[in-house]
Amino acid sequence: MTVAGTVISSADNQPIVGANIYVEGTNVGTTTDAGGNYKLTVPASAKTVTVSFLGYDTKKISVRDIHLFKLITLADASNKLEDVVVVGFGVQKKESLVGAVQSVKPSDLQTSSSNLSTSFSGKIAGVIAMQKSGEPGADGANFWIRGISTFGSGQSPLLILDGVEITNQMLNNIPPETIESFSVLKDATATALYGSRGANGVMIITTKNGRDSEKMTINLRAEFGASAPTRIPKIADGVTFMETYNEACATRGENPRYSREKIMGTKLGLDPYVYPNVDWYDMLFKNSTFNQNFNFNMTGGAKKIDYFLNASAFNENGIMRAPSTSKFDTNINSQKYLFQANVSADATKTTRVSLKMNTQLHYNHAPIESVGSLFTYALSALPCEFPATLPGEETDTFVRFGTANAWDGNTFINPYAQLCRGYSDKFRGHFTSALTVCQNLDFVTKGLSLTGMATFYNRVYSAVNRSFTPFMYQLSSYDVDADGNYSYTSSSTNTGTTYLGTSRGRDGYRELAFQVKLDYARTFNKKHDVGATFVYHQKERNMNISDAEEYASLPYRQQGLAGRVTYGFDKRYLIEANFGYNGSENFAPGKRFGFFPSIAGGWVISNEPFWKGIKDKVNLFKVRASYGLVGNDVISSNYKDRFPYLSTVAMDQMYDVMIGTNFDQKWGPILSIYGNEDATWEESHKLDIGVEIGLFDSLNIIFDWFKEKRSGIFMQRSSLPSSFGMSGITPWGNIGKVDNRGVDISIDYNKAFSKDLILSLRGTFTYAHNEIVSIDEPQYKWGYQYKKGHPINSINCLIAEGLYRDEEDIASSPKSVYATRYPLQPGDIKYKDLNNDEVIDDNDKCWNGNPTVPEIIYGFGFSLKYKGFDCSAFFQGQGKVSIIMYDAHPFSTKAKPGFGLMQWIADEHWSESSPDPDAKYPRLSSQWNEHNGQANTLYVRNGKMLRLKTAEIGYSYKMMRVYVSGTNLLTFSPFKYWDPEKGSGNGLSYPLQRTFNLGFQFNF
């Protein structure tokens, strides 16, 4: 019999040159050619054919399975993801896994951003992720494993890199090229080993190791791209602003502010200083920018030592304009330099030593004014009141920045001056080292091993801020000659500076941790798989720079034990028990340690004898269930809230009482913090039921239903009246409860139709719904006022029943306590009187609608390879999420008058000329309108969306691949005002970016 086909790598589906195909015990064999192709005549007596190549797992194929010879896939020997999954403190075989662990391919985490978390949404089942900013170096996503289960401070998952606990910043800086395995631990069985730190789930990232190979492997990638905002809210120009403001005055019976001469002069553009029409957004921000990133890695080794080295560089620029009047660059520039060095060596035949070192250097240059403030100024600054700059005199050594008298008696803020006034240089460094020694103890008993690990993490931060005070001038008078030429007189409103002042900042901390682990794994009689893991670990964190507060100088300490016992019978019946016993210095003596157990079981039905008849069709059918207890010891992000069991007395404080006829103020000690000796961590009871199905060795489906009961959520009491005598020092306690439930599903399909045609499909769906079961609230009079029974991020607002149609509608409706400055008129918002007291007030506010964090995240995509060509696309979506618009009301805020106008309000508001009762914005007001300014459902929108997240087309030729890719290419959503993923607000923050990239990859 003659067999022929192609041998490819499972990592990248590329052909393997020089692979050996042979029949063991004979001289029959051959090797693959430059295209990975082979042809072999197999003797009639042969039962199997062996395929091998250095650095890959050997595969044996039965001669009966003739169809398997057409395309043979070999798994990388250094990457065991094909067979095992990284779990807490170790690895487990996929077939025996009974916990809810999502294993993610590093290739699925590729992103055009330098922040890894931007690739999470829709690609990882069980992860809810939102990207709210596109700012270079700060565009990481917010993410939660199986949604949000607590309204306390600690909502983020635990992050582990090569055994070292890391921060979100460091996670975002990990290049996908360095990742060997990425696991998301979701249920109690997977997270119980982390005890009081595992309630929010765990992400474990393991970087690549070297491998025994004849030659070193070198990979190089260079990428060049352009980026532009996906969608930004449009701001009205000067003419539209003035006409709409005059309409707002007229519709409320007020005199117009802007004369016809002023409006026409602005419309005709007679003079930019007398009739300014400034597009502040365009002055501050440009339409696009350019970025570059590079990656280089080397992999190799021999029998006793191997290595993996990686270096990455990112250069990302912002969309801030370079001011023509400034001597220095105020655009954002984010530079990251990332290094990974992994070395492993056999010290003896039974002892292996490895060292993994990760270095992350992040340099950030940005305007001294925060980017968020600059976007706010772009809206709040009026386009027609003053120019960005005024003409100077010959003797001026400075720029005259424009301003005018503001409507509150002060002067307007000039956004352009704020951009020009200085810059900030910040540096962040993250350094980790993990030294591991693994000793095989087969000489004691087969399957026993001992591993010791010492890890060090150091975070450093420094900042240098340099700025000056701009010289602000306003136009005092002007003249126009017979030829229409203007001359101006301007006057100063402040005292500026011509030099740069300097301020500095610094911060950081370091962590030292130790871990000892004893592992046992053995199979008896080929049917009984027994495994056990026991771990001792401890960690200490010290601040590099101590604050004046004593609490900041004290080390943070954690200590604990963890264990796992597994048993499998004949690869059919599986059981696993885990525990974590953790301690924290944060709580009172006697309450510092907690025990967190879990139990899980599984049944691989497809391995039963009765399944053999359909095994070729349904190759996997497994059911599993788990239940356990996990904790969360993060009670606050502020170190001042440490040791909640201690009461604090502040000395020499002023009493709020006067004594004697002279009303003498007295001083003395005051109780500033009321301690709670019973304070402890949150507890989470987790239940998970999962099903795994494999069809035709090509289609894999994983379904999980989960339910979580979180209790002991740490919060400050709000139900105690001020007469209790604890105003401002109300005690904290473990009194909150939240229920969280949902499902997560992942589907992937991989099919190699031939050596030239390979198709992959994948999709995920996550639904996570939480409800507050218990929260300390004041005693309300009406049930709808309680947050209990609603999701954590619900919206509290009035219910809008449209707009008042006429005076009769107003007269027959409840009175509004908010109608103070302006009496109600047609076109104002009509609110629902929930308590039927004929009055609209705060007692009519309720918790309403979907939360502002999505309850549904999904994604689906494909990749296709045909000969040298490849293409892929991925869609990301979100649902059951609301967006509430606020801080966008025109002309005035509650705090001060004088505010800009968004174009959608100019286009879609109710007007006397178009009295649409279904208008998107009510009747205008020139000043703050307390009635229409209330949070209400008229300003709540559906935030669902579907986005073409990524698309890529590439061509490979020998050792080179060229590709073009795009990110955030198309968005489909009923919400049109700004990018719906940014969520609630007014949309005026750094926009998400649409990117286009050209890349080159080389493999040697």
Side-chain angles (χ1 to χ4, degrees):
M1 179 179 65
T2 299
V3 295
T6 305
V7 180
I8 63 173
S9 168
S10 65
D12 53 12
N13 292 328
Q14 295 299 311
I16 298 177
V17 181
N20 300 303
I21 301 93
Y22 58 94
V23 178
E24 290 186 358
T26 72
N27 293 324
V28 178
T30 187
T31 59
T32 56
D33 60 19
N37 303 309
Y38 75 94
K39 186 175 183 180
L40 179 69
T41 301
V42 182
S45 60
K47 294 184 178 180
T48 61
V49 173
T50 303
V51 184
S52 67
F53 186 68
L54 195 61
Y56 290 84
D57 289 335
T58 299
K59 177 177 285 189
K60 293 185 178 182
I61 303 174
S62 171
V63 294
R64 295 179 180 179
D65 299 324
I66 189 67
H67 63 284
L68 297 180
F69 287 96
K70 294 181 179 180
L71 188 68
I72 302 172
T73 302
L74 295 185
D76 191 332
S78 67
N79 187 349
K80 298 295 183 181
L81 285 177
E82 298 294 324
D83 303 308
V84 301
V85 176
V86 176
V87 295
F89 301 108
V91 297
Q92 287 183 288
K93 292 182 178 180
K94 278 186 178 181
E95 61 183 13
S96 62
L97 188 67
V98 290
V101 179
Q102 183 74 32
S103 183
V104 185
K105 292 181 179 180
S107 58
D108 291 341
L109 301 176
Q110 292 286 350
T111 174
S112 60
S113 166
S114 65
N115 284 328
L116 187 70
S117 62
T118 60
S119 65
F120 288 177
S121 185
K123 292 186 177 181
I124 307 176
V127 172
I128 300 289
M130 295 179 67
Q131 184 183 354
K132 290 181 172 291
S133 172
E135 183 178 344
D139 57 349
N142 300 322
F143 57 92
W144 306 269
I145 295 177
R146 289 184 165 173
I148 300 174
S149 300
T150 176
F151 50 79
S153 293
Q155 298 180 342
S156 300
L158 179 66
L159 307 174
I160 306 291
L161 171 66
D162 291 331
V164 183
E165 184 177 341
I166 61 173
T167 63
N168 281 18
Q169 280 185 343
M170 194 168 182
L171 169 75
N172 278 319
N173 292 338
I174 301 174
E177 286 92 345
T178 68
I179 298 175
E180 180 174 284
S181 68
F182 190 106
S183 296
V184 181
L185 283 55
K186 298 182 284 190
D187 69 343
T189 291
T191 61
L193 282 82
Y194 294 97
S196 61
R197 298 179 296 151
N200 297 322
V202 183
M203 288 184 174
I204 302 178
I205 304 97
T206 304
T207 57
K208 292 179 178 178
N209 294 304
R211 68 184 184 192
D212 181 4
S213 61
E214 292 181 349
K215 63 177 182 178
M216 178 174 58
T217 301
I218 297 176
N219 296 294
L220 175 66
R221 176 181 56 80
E223 193 170 270
F224 307 88
S227 64
T230 54
R231 186 183 298 168
I232 56 175
K234 187 177 179 182
I235 301 169
D237 61 21
V239 174
T240 303
F241 176 88
M242 290 186 287
E243 291 177 341
T244 308
Y245 185 85
N246 283 352
E247 178 192 340
C249 293
T251 196
R252 298 291 179 177
E254 301 168 346
N255 294 325
R257 176 181 177 86
Y258 297 102
S259 66
R260 194 62 191 165
E261 175 194 0
K262 169 76 170 174
I263 296 175
M264 288 304 298
T266 305
K267 183 178 291 187
L268 296 173
L270 296 182
D271 185 85
Y273 303 111
V274 178
Y275 303 103
N277 186 7
V278 185
D279 185 340
W280 292 111
Y281 184 92
D282 187 64
M283 282 209 72
L284 270 58
F285 310 106
K286 54 187 178 182
N287 295 326
S288 62
T289 190
F290 298 94
N291 310 300
Q292 307 84 34
N293 67 82
F294 307 91
N295 185 267
F296 171 82
N297 61 60
M298 303 166 56
T299 307
K303 290 184 177 180
K304 290 189 176 183
I305 188 169
D306 58 61
Y307 58 87
F308 172 78
L309 305 174
N310 189 89
S312 299
F314 292 85
N315 182 55
E316 297 178 313
N317 296 296
I319 57 172
M320 324 298 291
R321 287 196 183 277
S324 58
T325 58
S326 179
K327 296 180 180 179
F328 40 82
D329 185 11
T330 56
N331 190 16
I332 297 174
N333 177 251
S334 173
Q335 296 182 11
K336 292 183 180 181
Y337 303 96
L338 315 173
F339 307 95
Q340 183 75 45
N342 298 345
V343 180
S344 299
D346 291 333
T348 69
K349 291 183 179 180
T350 60
T351 307
R352 188 161 184 83
V353 180
S354 65
L355 178 62
K356 292 189 174 184
M357 304 181 70
N358 182 284
T359 299
Q360 301 179 356
L361 310 177
H362 183 193
Y363 299 88
N364 183 269
H365 178 88
I368 188 69
E369 193 72 30
S370 73
V371 175
S373 295
L374 290 173
F375 275 94
T376 300
Y377 295 150
L379 170 64
S380 61
L382 308 188
C384 55
E385 289 288 332
F386 59 92
T389 59
L390 285 165
E393 298 180 358
E394 292 183 2
T395 58
D396 285 352
T397 59
F398 52 83
V399 177
R400 298 190 179 197
F401 292 98
T403 187
N405 292 326
W407 298 355
D408 62 354
N410 297 308
T411 55
F412 284 112
I413 294 176
N414 184 323
Y416 186 65
Q418 296 301 309
L419 173 65
C420 294
R421 72 181 183 90
Y423 62 90
S424 173
D425 284 318
K426 297 177 181 178
F427 168 75
R428 291 182 177 89
H430 301 268
F431 310 88
T432 66
S433 300
L435 176 65
T436 305
V437 180
C438 183
Q439 176 64 53
N440 187 307
L441 298 178
D442 280 350
F443 57 86
V444 177
T445 184
K446 188 177 180 181
L448 188 66
S449 64
L450 180 67
T451 303
M453 176 183 287
T455 66
F456 178 74
Y457 170 46
N458 190 29
R459 176 189 179 273
V460 296
Y461 166 82
S462 65
V464 177
N465 307 306
R466 309 201 69 191
S467 63
F468 68 93
T469 302
F471 289 83
M472 308 305 301
Y473 279 75
Q474 63 181 10
L475 188 66
S476 301
S477 61
Y478 67 93
D479 292 311
V480 186
D481 61 21
D483 297 326
N485 298 314
Y486 286 77
S487 59
Y488 321 92
T489 302
S490 59
S491 59
S492 174
T493 64
N494 77 325
T495 302
T497 59
T498 56
Y499 58 87
L500 289 174
T502 302
S503 65
R504 292 177 172 84
R506 53 180 181 166
D507 193 8
Y509 61 86
R510 60 192 181 276
E511 291 181 347
L512 184 63
F514 298 97
Q515 175 182 303
V516 179
K517 180 178 65 166
L518 187 66
D519 286 304
Y520 179 74
R522 192 168 179 179
T523 301
F524 297 91
N525 298 326
K526 296 184 179 181
K527 286 192 175 183
H528 303 277
D529 296 312
V530 179
T533 298
F534 295 96
V535 183
Y536 168 79
H537 56 90
Q538 67 178 48
K539 184 180 72 172
E540 179 178 281
R541 174 193 292 184
N542 287 278
M543 307 303 293
N544 290 339
I545 302 167
S546 295
D547 195 276
E549 295 286 343
E550 183 181 10
Y551 287 169
S553 64
L554 298 175
Y556 295 73
R557 287 174 177 160
Q558 294 175 341
Q559 187 179 38
L561 298 170
R564 173 172 53 235
V565 178
T566 63
Y567 172 74
F569 175 73
D570 199 23
K571 294 183 172 44
R572 289 182 286 166
Y573 312 113
L574 312 168
I575 189 169
E576 179 177 323
N578 298 271
F579 78 89
Y581 182 69
N582 296 83
S584 170
E585 93 292 342
N586 225 20
F587 308 111
K591 296 182 179 294
R592 290 178 173 170
F593 285 85
F595 184 71
F596 304 91
S598 72
I599 187 73
W603 180 22
V604 187
I605 303 174
S606 54
N607 285 343
E608 293 287 355
F610 61 77
W611 201 264
K612 289 184 178 180
I614 58 172
K615 183 81 171 181
D616 58 333
K617 299 178 180 64
V618 185
N619 55 285
L620 173 65
F621 189 79
K622 179 169 73 173
V623 294
R624 49 180 168 76
S626 67
Y627 180 78
L629 174 67
V630 200
N632 178 21
D633 66 355
V634 180
I635 59 174
S636 174
S637 58
N638 190 341
Y639 65 79
K640 296 181 180 180
D641 295 329
R642 294 180 67 191
F643 314 119
Y645 62 92
L646 296 177
S647 296
T648 303
V649 177
M651 305 303 292
D652 297 325
Q653 300 297 304
M654 184 174 64
Y655 290 153
D656 294 330
V657 294
M658 306 288 186
I659 298 177
T661 57
N662 293 327
F663 300 101
D664 294 330
Q665 192 105 35
K666 297 299 181 181
W667 297 70
I670 289 179
L671 187 67
S672 59
I673 298 177
Y674 191 89
N676 179 359
E677 293 185 356
D678 295 322
T680 184
W681 41 72
E682 300 176 6
E683 291 186 343
S684 172
H685 291 82
K686 293 175 179 278
L687 172 66
D688 184 277
I689 298 175
V691 178
E692 299 179 21
I693 301 173
L695 302 175
F696 305 102
D697 285 317
S698 300
L699 178 64
N700 299 296
I701 303 171
I702 301 176
F703 172 90
D704 279 275
W705 173 86
F706 62 88
K707 185 174 184 180
E708 176 183 0
K709 288 185 174 292
R710 186 74 64 96
S711 61
I713 298 174
F714 204 66
M715 67 171 296
Q716 194 170 20
R717 291 188 177 273
S718 58
S719 60
L720 298 178
S722 58
S723 59
F724 196 71
M726 295 185 127
S727 179
I729 57 167
T730 308
W732 293 70
N734 300 94
I735 49 182
K737 294 182 180 179
V738 171
D739 284 354
N740 185 37
R741 63 183 183 274
V743 297
D744 53 65
I745 306 168
S746 68
I747 301 174
D748 66 83
Y749 173 81
N750 297 281
K751 183 70 173 179
F753 297 95
S754 68
K755 67 176 183 178
D756 293 329
L757 182 60
I758 302 173
L759 174 66
S760 295
L761 305 174
R762 66 183 187 275
T764 68
F765 177 87
T766 301
Y767 169 66
H769 173 77
N770 65 68
E771 289 183 7
I772 296 174
V773 176
S774 177
I775 184 173
D776 198 55
E777 299 181 89
Q779 296 297 312
Y780 293 115
K781 189 174 181 180
W782 293 278
Y784 58 79
Q785 293 178 295
Y786 288 96
K787 194 171 184 179
K788 176 182 176 181
H790 296 277
I792 291 172
N793 289 287
S794 295
I795 297 171
N796 186 252
C797 64
L798 296 166
I799 304 297
E801 297 185 302
L803 307 179
Y804 289 115
R805 296 177 180 272
D806 48 39
E807 293 293 345
E808 182 180 349
D809 191 11
I810 297 173
S812 61
S813 300
K815 306 303 180 184
S816 171
V817 300
Y818 307 118
T820 52
R821 182 190 298 269
Y822 297 108
L824 295 177
Q825 292 182 261
D828 287 330
I829 303 174
K830 182 179 180 180
Y831 297 126
K832 188 174 183 179
D833 183 16
L834 293 181
N835 57 6
N836 297 314
D837 65 351
E838 295 300 318
V839 175
I840 300 298
D841 56 17
D842 286 354
N843 291 322
D844 294 302
K845 291 182 178 180
C846 64
W847 299 94
N848 182 268
N850 290 314
T852 55
V853 172
E855 292 188 333
I856 292 177
I857 292 287
Y858 61 93
F860 56 90
F862 76 93
S863 63
L864 179 68
K865 290 189 176 183
Y866 178 70
K867 294 185 176 180
F869 294 93
D870 63 86
C871 64
S872 63
F874 189 84
F875 289 84
Q876 160 206 336
Q878 65 181 33
K880 289 188 71 64
V881 57
S882 294
I883 294 174
I884 180 166
M885 298 183 290
Y886 57 84
D887 291 341
H889 298 289
F891 311 134
S892 178
T893 66
K894 190 173 183 178
K896 57 184 269 186
F899 205 76
L901 172 67
M902 301 187 78
Q903 187 63 45
W904 74 267
I905 295 178
D907 296 336
E908 302 181 33
H909 70 272
W910 185 97
S911 65
E912 293 181 1
S913 60
S914 179
D916 181 6
D918 297 319
K920 300 299 183 183
Y921 193 83
R923 190 185 195 113
L924 298 173
S925 306
S926 63
Q927 302 296 316
W928 174 253
N929 190 315
E930 189 73 17
H931 179 85
N932 291 337
Q934 295 296 310
N936 68 85
T937 55
L938 181 66
Y939 304 140
V940 176
R941 301 288 194 270
N942 189 339
K944 68 179 181 180
M945 72 162 192
L946 174 64
R947 188 198 303 279
L948 176 55
K949 183 67 176 178
T950 60
E952 183 171 308
I953 300 175
Y955 179 75
S956 300
Y957 179 73
K958 293 184 178 180
M959 296 180 295
M960 184 184 75
R961 178 174 179 262
V962 181
Y963 64 91
V964 292
S965 64
T967 305
N968 296 332
L969 297 175
L970 297 171
T971 302
F972 309 94
S973 173
F975 186 79
K976 304 297 184 183
Y977 303 125
W978 56 81
D979 195 304
E981 193 172 358
K982 290 177 65 65
S984 300
N986 57 19
L988 285 171
S989 59
Y990 203 101
L992 273 64
Q993 298 292 293
R994 178 182 293 113
T995 65
F996 300 92
N997 301 294
L998 172 64
F1000 304 89
Q1001 292 175 310
F1002 301 90
N1003 301 299
F1004 304 101

